[in-house]
Short mmCIF file of all heavy atoms in Angstrom, two decimals:
data_model
loop_
_atom_site.label_atom_id
_atom_site.label_comp_id
_atom_site.label_asym_id
_atom_site.label_seq_id
_atom_site.Cartn_x
_atom_site.Cartn_y
_atom_site.Cartn_z
N LEU A 26 0.83 -1.21 0.00
CA LEU A 26 0.00 0.00 0.00
C LEU A 26 0.86 1.26 0.00
O LEU A 26 0.57 2.21 -0.72
CB LEU A 26 -0.93 0.00 1.22
CG LEU A 26 -2.09 -0.98 1.16
CD1 LEU A 26 -2.82 -1.03 2.50
CD2 LEU A 26 -3.07 -0.59 0.05
N LYS A 27 1.93 1.24 0.79
CA LYS A 27 2.82 2.40 0.82
C LYS A 27 3.43 2.65 -0.56
O LYS A 27 3.52 3.78 -1.01
CB LYS A 27 3.95 2.18 1.84
CG LYS A 27 3.54 2.43 3.28
CD LYS A 27 4.70 2.16 4.22
CE LYS A 27 4.38 2.54 5.63
NZ LYS A 27 4.76 3.92 5.97
N GLY A 28 3.83 1.58 -1.23
CA GLY A 28 4.41 1.70 -2.56
C GLY A 28 3.42 2.25 -3.57
O GLY A 28 3.76 3.11 -4.39
N GLN A 29 2.17 1.77 -3.53
CA GLN A 29 1.16 2.24 -4.47
C GLN A 29 0.82 3.71 -4.22
O GLN A 29 0.66 4.48 -5.17
CB GLN A 29 -0.09 1.37 -4.38
CG GLN A 29 0.13 -0.01 -4.96
CD GLN A 29 -1.10 -0.89 -4.83
OE1 GLN A 29 -2.03 -0.59 -4.11
NE2 GLN A 29 -1.07 -2.01 -5.54
N ILE A 30 0.73 4.10 -2.96
CA ILE A 30 0.46 5.50 -2.63
C ILE A 30 1.61 6.38 -3.11
O ILE A 30 1.39 7.46 -3.66
CB ILE A 30 0.22 5.67 -1.11
CG1 ILE A 30 -1.13 5.02 -0.74
CG2 ILE A 30 0.24 7.14 -0.72
CD1 ILE A 30 -1.35 4.87 0.74
N SER A 31 2.83 5.90 -2.95
CA SER A 31 4.00 6.67 -3.38
C SER A 31 4.01 6.87 -4.89
O SER A 31 4.29 7.96 -5.38
CB SER A 31 5.26 5.93 -2.94
OG SER A 31 6.40 6.60 -3.41
N GLU A 32 3.70 5.80 -5.65
CA GLU A 32 3.67 5.92 -7.11
C GLU A 32 2.56 6.87 -7.54
O GLU A 32 2.76 7.70 -8.43
CB GLU A 32 3.48 4.54 -7.74
CG GLU A 32 3.60 4.58 -9.25
CD GLU A 32 3.50 3.19 -9.88
OE1 GLU A 32 2.39 2.64 -9.90
OE2 GLU A 32 4.53 2.69 -10.34
N LEU A 33 1.39 6.78 -6.89
CA LEU A 33 0.28 7.69 -7.20
C LEU A 33 0.68 9.13 -6.92
O LEU A 33 0.39 10.03 -7.71
CB LEU A 33 -0.95 7.30 -6.39
CG LEU A 33 -2.16 8.23 -6.52
CD1 LEU A 33 -2.69 8.22 -7.95
CD2 LEU A 33 -3.24 7.85 -5.53
N GLU A 34 1.36 9.34 -5.79
CA GLU A 34 1.80 10.69 -5.43
C GLU A 34 2.73 11.26 -6.50
O GLU A 34 2.62 12.42 -6.87
CB GLU A 34 2.51 10.63 -4.07
CG GLU A 34 2.96 11.99 -3.56
CD GLU A 34 3.72 11.89 -2.26
OE1 GLU A 34 4.57 10.98 -2.12
OE2 GLU A 34 3.48 12.72 -1.39
N LEU A 35 3.64 10.43 -7.01
CA LEU A 35 4.55 10.88 -8.06
C LEU A 35 3.79 11.30 -9.31
O LEU A 35 4.06 12.35 -9.90
CB LEU A 35 5.56 9.77 -8.39
CG LEU A 35 6.65 10.11 -9.39
CD1 LEU A 35 7.55 11.21 -8.87
CD2 LEU A 35 7.46 8.87 -9.73
N HIS A 36 2.80 10.50 -9.70
CA HIS A 36 1.98 10.84 -10.88
C HIS A 36 1.18 12.12 -10.63
O HIS A 36 1.03 12.95 -11.53
CB HIS A 36 1.05 9.69 -11.23
CG HIS A 36 1.75 8.53 -11.85
ND1 HIS A 36 2.38 8.58 -13.08
CD2 HIS A 36 1.96 7.27 -11.39
CE1 HIS A 36 2.92 7.42 -13.36
NE2 HIS A 36 2.70 6.60 -12.35
N THR A 37 0.67 12.29 -9.41
CA THR A 37 -0.11 13.48 -9.06
C THR A 37 0.76 14.73 -9.15
O THR A 37 0.34 15.75 -9.69
CB THR A 37 -0.71 13.34 -7.64
OG1 THR A 37 -1.48 12.15 -7.58
CG2 THR A 37 -1.58 14.52 -7.29
N ILE A 38 1.98 14.64 -8.62
CA ILE A 38 2.90 15.79 -8.67
C ILE A 38 3.21 16.15 -10.13
O ILE A 38 3.17 17.31 -10.52
CB ILE A 38 4.20 15.47 -7.90
CG1 ILE A 38 3.93 15.39 -6.40
CG2 ILE A 38 5.28 16.50 -8.19
CD1 ILE A 38 5.07 14.79 -5.59
N ARG A 39 3.51 15.13 -10.95
CA ARG A 39 3.80 15.38 -12.36
C ARG A 39 2.61 16.02 -13.06
O ARG A 39 2.78 16.93 -13.87
CB ARG A 39 4.16 14.07 -13.06
CG ARG A 39 5.58 13.62 -12.81
CD ARG A 39 5.88 12.40 -13.62
NE ARG A 39 7.21 11.89 -13.32
CZ ARG A 39 7.58 10.65 -13.47
NH1 ARG A 39 6.74 9.75 -13.91
NH2 ARG A 39 8.80 10.26 -13.18
N ALA A 40 1.40 15.51 -12.78
CA ALA A 40 0.20 16.05 -13.42
C ALA A 40 0.00 17.51 -13.05
O ALA A 40 -0.36 18.34 -13.89
CB ALA A 40 -1.02 15.22 -13.02
N ARG A 41 0.23 17.85 -11.78
CA ARG A 41 0.09 19.23 -11.33
C ARG A 41 1.09 20.15 -12.02
O ARG A 41 0.76 21.25 -12.47
CB ARG A 41 0.29 19.31 -9.82
CG ARG A 41 -1.02 19.45 -9.07
CD ARG A 41 -0.80 19.75 -7.61
NE ARG A 41 -0.88 18.50 -6.87
CZ ARG A 41 -0.06 18.12 -5.92
NH1 ARG A 41 0.92 18.88 -5.55
NH2 ARG A 41 -0.21 16.97 -5.32
N LEU A 42 2.35 19.69 -12.11
CA LEU A 42 3.39 20.49 -12.77
C LEU A 42 3.08 20.69 -14.25
O LEU A 42 3.21 21.80 -14.78
CB LEU A 42 4.75 19.82 -12.60
CG LEU A 42 5.34 19.83 -11.20
CD1 LEU A 42 6.60 18.97 -11.13
CD2 LEU A 42 5.64 21.24 -10.74
N THR A 43 2.64 19.62 -14.92
CA THR A 43 2.31 19.71 -16.34
C THR A 43 1.13 20.65 -16.56
O THR A 43 1.14 21.47 -17.49
CB THR A 43 1.98 18.30 -16.90
OG1 THR A 43 3.11 17.46 -16.69
CG2 THR A 43 1.64 18.37 -18.38
N ALA A 44 0.12 20.57 -15.69
CA ALA A 44 -1.05 21.44 -15.81
C ALA A 44 -0.64 22.91 -15.65
O ALA A 44 -1.12 23.78 -16.38
CB ALA A 44 -2.10 21.08 -14.77
N GLY A 45 0.29 23.18 -14.73
CA GLY A 45 0.77 24.55 -14.54
C GLY A 45 1.50 25.08 -15.75
O GLY A 45 1.31 26.22 -16.17
N VAL A 46 2.34 24.24 -16.36
CA VAL A 46 3.10 24.64 -17.56
C VAL A 46 2.14 24.92 -18.71
O VAL A 46 2.27 25.92 -19.42
CB VAL A 46 4.13 23.55 -17.94
CG1 VAL A 46 4.69 23.79 -19.32
CG2 VAL A 46 5.25 23.50 -16.91
N LEU A 47 1.16 24.02 -18.91
CA LEU A 47 0.20 24.20 -20.01
C LEU A 47 -0.64 25.46 -19.82
O LEU A 47 -0.93 26.18 -20.77
CB LEU A 47 -0.71 22.97 -20.12
CG LEU A 47 -0.03 21.69 -20.61
CD1 LEU A 47 -1.00 20.51 -20.54
CD2 LEU A 47 0.50 21.87 -22.03
N SER A 48 -1.02 25.72 -18.58
CA SER A 48 -1.82 26.92 -18.29
C SER A 48 -1.03 28.19 -18.61
O SER A 48 -1.57 29.12 -19.23
CB SER A 48 -2.24 26.90 -16.81
OG SER A 48 -2.99 28.04 -16.50
N LYS A 49 0.24 28.22 -18.22
CA LYS A 49 1.09 29.38 -18.53
C LYS A 49 1.25 29.53 -20.04
O LYS A 49 1.22 30.64 -20.57
CB LYS A 49 2.46 29.23 -17.89
CG LYS A 49 2.56 29.74 -16.48
CD LYS A 49 4.01 29.69 -16.03
CE LYS A 49 4.19 30.53 -14.79
NZ LYS A 49 5.59 30.58 -14.37
N ALA A 50 1.43 28.41 -20.74
CA ALA A 50 1.61 28.45 -22.20
C ALA A 50 0.36 29.00 -22.88
O ALA A 50 0.45 29.81 -23.82
CB ALA A 50 1.93 27.06 -22.72
N LYS A 51 -0.83 28.60 -22.42
CA LYS A 51 -2.09 29.09 -23.01
C LYS A 51 -2.23 30.59 -22.84
O LYS A 51 -2.79 31.28 -23.70
CB LYS A 51 -3.29 28.38 -22.37
CG LYS A 51 -3.48 26.96 -22.87
CD LYS A 51 -4.65 26.29 -22.18
CE LYS A 51 -4.76 24.83 -22.59
NZ LYS A 51 -5.80 24.11 -21.84
N ARG A 52 -1.72 31.11 -21.70
CA ARG A 52 -1.81 32.55 -21.46
C ARG A 52 -0.67 33.31 -22.15
O ARG A 52 -0.62 34.53 -22.10
CB ARG A 52 -1.73 32.83 -19.96
CG ARG A 52 -2.93 32.40 -19.16
CD ARG A 52 -2.93 32.98 -17.75
NE ARG A 52 -1.67 32.88 -17.06
CZ ARG A 52 -1.31 31.86 -16.27
NH1 ARG A 52 -2.13 30.85 -16.09
NH2 ARG A 52 -0.15 31.85 -15.67
N GLY A 53 0.27 32.56 -22.73
CA GLY A 53 1.42 33.20 -23.38
C GLY A 53 2.45 33.69 -22.40
O GLY A 53 3.26 34.55 -22.71
N GLU A 54 2.47 33.12 -21.19
CA GLU A 54 3.40 33.56 -20.15
C GLU A 54 4.48 32.53 -19.84
O GLU A 54 5.24 32.70 -18.89
CB GLU A 54 2.62 33.87 -18.86
CG GLU A 54 1.63 35.00 -19.00
CD GLU A 54 0.78 35.20 -17.76
OE1 GLU A 54 1.03 34.52 -16.74
OE2 GLU A 54 -0.13 36.03 -17.80
N LEU A 55 4.57 31.48 -20.63
CA LEU A 55 5.56 30.44 -20.38
C LEU A 55 6.92 30.93 -20.88
O LEU A 55 7.12 31.13 -22.06
CB LEU A 55 5.18 29.13 -21.07
CG LEU A 55 6.14 27.97 -20.85
CD1 LEU A 55 6.20 27.59 -19.38
CD2 LEU A 55 5.71 26.77 -21.67
N ALA A 56 7.84 31.13 -19.95
CA ALA A 56 9.17 31.64 -20.30
C ALA A 56 10.17 30.49 -20.24
O ALA A 56 10.53 30.02 -19.17
CB ALA A 56 9.58 32.75 -19.34
N LEU A 57 10.58 30.04 -21.41
CA LEU A 57 11.57 28.97 -21.48
C LEU A 57 12.97 29.56 -21.43
O LEU A 57 13.17 30.76 -21.65
CB LEU A 57 11.38 28.18 -22.78
CG LEU A 57 10.02 27.52 -22.97
CD1 LEU A 57 9.92 26.88 -24.35
CD2 LEU A 57 9.78 26.47 -21.89
N SER A 58 13.96 28.71 -21.13
CA SER A 58 15.36 29.18 -21.12
C SER A 58 15.74 29.62 -22.53
O SER A 58 15.41 28.96 -23.51
CB SER A 58 16.28 28.04 -20.68
OG SER A 58 15.97 27.65 -19.37
N LEU A 59 16.43 30.73 -22.58
CA LEU A 59 16.84 31.29 -23.88
C LEU A 59 18.25 30.84 -24.23
O LEU A 59 19.08 30.62 -23.36
CB LEU A 59 16.79 32.82 -23.82
CG LEU A 59 15.41 33.43 -23.59
CD1 LEU A 59 15.54 34.93 -23.38
CD2 LEU A 59 14.50 33.13 -24.76
N PRO A 60 18.54 30.72 -25.53
CA PRO A 60 19.91 30.36 -25.94
C PRO A 60 20.88 31.51 -25.62
O PRO A 60 20.48 32.66 -25.44
CB PRO A 60 19.79 30.14 -27.44
CG PRO A 60 18.47 30.68 -27.86
CD PRO A 60 17.62 30.83 -26.64
N THR A 61 22.15 31.15 -25.57
CA THR A 61 23.19 32.14 -25.31
C THR A 61 23.10 33.27 -26.33
O THR A 61 22.92 33.04 -27.52
CB THR A 61 24.58 31.48 -25.41
OG1 THR A 61 24.62 30.40 -24.50
CG2 THR A 61 25.69 32.47 -25.10
N GLY A 62 23.20 34.49 -25.83
CA GLY A 62 23.17 35.66 -26.70
C GLY A 62 21.84 36.38 -26.70
O GLY A 62 21.72 37.48 -27.20
N LEU A 63 20.81 35.73 -26.14
CA LEU A 63 19.51 36.36 -26.04
C LEU A 63 19.17 36.58 -24.57
O LEU A 63 19.66 35.88 -23.70
CB LEU A 63 18.43 35.49 -26.69
CG LEU A 63 18.57 35.25 -28.20
CD1 LEU A 63 17.46 34.33 -28.69
CD2 LEU A 63 18.55 36.56 -28.97
N ALA A 64 18.35 37.58 -24.32
CA ALA A 64 17.93 37.89 -22.95
C ALA A 64 16.48 38.33 -22.99
O ALA A 64 15.92 38.59 -24.06
CB ALA A 64 18.81 38.99 -22.38
#
């Protein structure tokens, strides 16, 4: 049970992070790392 809860928790954390990234991208606020020479 501990192992299954742990795996579920990992998937939940990933889903939350992905949802946050997608939400920022939809609003046009997702700032990715820029290549050298740009700021």
Side-chain angles (χ1 to χ4, degrees):
L26 287 171
K27 281 178 174 269
Q29 288 178 347
I30 290 168
S31 176
E32 187 176 72
L33 175 64
E34 183 183 43
L35 184 64
H36 287 294
T37 304
I38 290 167
R39 281 185 184 154
R41 257 189 263 136
L42 290 172
T43 301
V46 168
L47 291 174
S48 179
K49 273 187 165 183
K51 284 178 185 174
R52 290 193 314 269
E54 297 174 5
L55 181 63
L57 300 175
S58 298
L59 296 173
T61 303
L63 297 178

